[in-house]
Amino acid sequence: MTNLVLGIDVGGSSVKAGVVDLEAGRVTGELISAPTPRPSPPAALMPVIAGLAARLPGPSGTVGIAFPSVVKSGIVRTAANIDPSWVGTDGAALAARALGRPALLLNDADAAGVAEMRWGAGRGTSGIAIMVTLGTGIGTALFCDGRLFPNTELGHIELRGMDAERWASAQVRTAEKLDFPTWIARVNEYLGRLHALFWPDLFILGGAVSERFEEFAPLLRSPAVLRPAHFAGQAGVVGAALAAAESST
Ligand code: BGC
C-alpha cells in the first residue's frame, strides 16, 4: 500500500482535495478546495477535479474520489444533489481520463464512514454502526463489525410524508431558518426512525452537527451511542484515499 494517496471529496458547495498519509491516518499538508460548479455536469466538474489534483503533486497511484451518489463499479447511479446528467456515466473512467491515472469513485458518506471506522470515532467498534452526514443532503454509511454495506441511501427514507433529507438536512435548517433546537428535534426524529429500523449500537454524526457537537450534544437523543465524527470536513477525503489504496493492493 502506498503511503501518500490523493483523496478528493465532491460536495454540494465545494470540492475538497488533500494528500492523505496512510500511516498517520490523516491529511498531510493543506486541505484545498474549489467551489462546486453550478450546474455540475461531468464537463464542468472534471476540470475542477483535475485543477485541484494539479495543485497537489506528489502522490502517484489510484486517486480516491468521494461522490454524492450511489456508485456501483465506478458508474454513477443516482443524482439527488448533483447534476442529473451524471446518472449512468462511468465516473471513475471520466476521472481517470481527466487525471491521467486510475481513480476509484465511491459514495461520499461511505468514504467518510470508512475513515471514521478505521481512524476516527468508530475505531475498534463491533456490532452495527451508522455514519450519518448532515449537509446539503443526508448521507449514510452502514457497518456491521467494521465491514461496510455500501450505498445505503438512508437519507431518503420517508419521514413526515417526505424524503427525510428534505426534512432534516443541514441545508434545510438554513433554508427554513430553523433555530437549533427545532432542527435537532428533526434530527432526533430521523435518528429515531433509523434506530427503529436498524438498531445500531453507534451513530457517528458528521457534517454540521459534528462541527458544533458540544452545543448540540445536550439536545440530541438516541438509544444508541452518539459520537461526533472525528475528521469533520476531512472525512470524505481521508476515506476516499484509504479506499483507493486498498482497491489497488
Ligand atoms: C445522496 C447520497 C449522498 C448524500 C450526501 C444524498 O442526497 O443521495 O448518495 O451520500 O446525499 O451527500
Side-chain angles (χ1 to χ4, degrees), residues 62-143:
T62 306
V63 178
I65 304 178
F67 206 75
S69 305
V70 169
V71 182
K72 288 184 77 87
S73 306
I75 314 283
V76 175
R77 304 296 293 271
T78 61
N81 289 305
I82 192 98
D83 194 79
S85 62
W86 276 95
V87 175
T89 61
D90 189 336
L94 288 174
R97 204 172 309 140
L99 295 167
R101 54 197 159 120
L104 177 92
L105 207 72
L106 76 163
N107 172 263
D108 56 356
D110 283 351
V114 161
E116 294 293 337
M117 294 302 285
R118 178 69 60 92
W119 290 305
R123 192 178 174 158
T125 302
S126 55
I128 306 296
I130 303 182
M131 165 105 203
V132 177
T133 65
L134 297 151
T136 308
I138 295 182
T140 58
L142 174 65
F143 294 84

Side-chain angles (χ1 to χ4, degrees), residues 8-235:
I8 295 176
D9 186 6
V10 178
S13 55
S14 71
V15 183
K16 294 179 229 164
V19 177
V20 177
D21 180 335
L22 295 173
E23 263 183 20
R26 60 174 163 76
V27 170
T28 174
E30 212 190 332
L31 185 77
I32 59 172
S33 68
T36 306
R38 276 166 206 254
S40 53
L45 196 57
M46 280 310 160
V48 174
I49 289 177
L52 288 169
R55 287 168 57 196
L56 294 171
S60 54
T62 306
V63 178
I65 304 178
F67 206 75
S69 305
V70 169
V71 182
K72 288 184 77 87
S73 306
I75 314 283
V76 175
R77 304 296 293 271
T78 61
N81 289 305
I82 192 98
D83 194 79
S85 62
W86 276 95
V87 175
T89 61
D90 189 336
L94 288 174
R97 204 172 309 140
L99 295 167
R101 54 197 159 120
L104 177 92
L105 207 72
L106 76 163
N107 172 263
D108 56 356
D110 283 351
V114 161
E116 294 293 337
M117 294 302 285
R118 178 69 60 92
W119 290 305
R123 192 178 174 158
T125 302
S126 55
I128 306 296
I130 303 182
M131 165 105 203
V132 177
T133 65
L134 297 151
T136 308
I138 295 182
T140 58
L142 174 65
F143 294 84
C144 177
D145 290 336
R147 271 193 61 144
L148 174 67
F149 182 117
N151 291 311
T152 44
E153 294 294 308
L154 303 177
H156 300 293
I157 61 167
E158 191 185 312
L159 201 62
R160 302 253 173 169
M162 68 181 99
D163 194 305
E165 75 174 19
R166 302 264 163 264
W167 171 254
S169 72
Q171 179 176 267
V172 167
R173 186 192 76 73
T174 315
E176 293 185 19
K177 299 191 175 65
L178 303 178
D179 60 21
F180 286 120
T182 307
W183 178 53
I184 293 294
R186 292 187 180 194
V187 172
N188 284 338
E189 193 178 331
Y190 174 65
L191 295 178
R193 179 63 60 81
L194 287 190
H195 190 270
L197 294 171
F198 294 94
W199 288 84
D201 303 288
L202 170 69
F203 279 119
I204 303 172
L205 302 178
V209 170
S210 69
E211 282 150 28
R212 299 169 65 173
F213 195 72
E214 302 290 294
E215 231 174 293
F216 293 135
L219 301 171
L220 284 163
R221 301 272 176 274
S222 172
V225 175
L226 292 170
R227 288 193 198 137
H230 166 78
F231 286 104
Q234 297 189 358

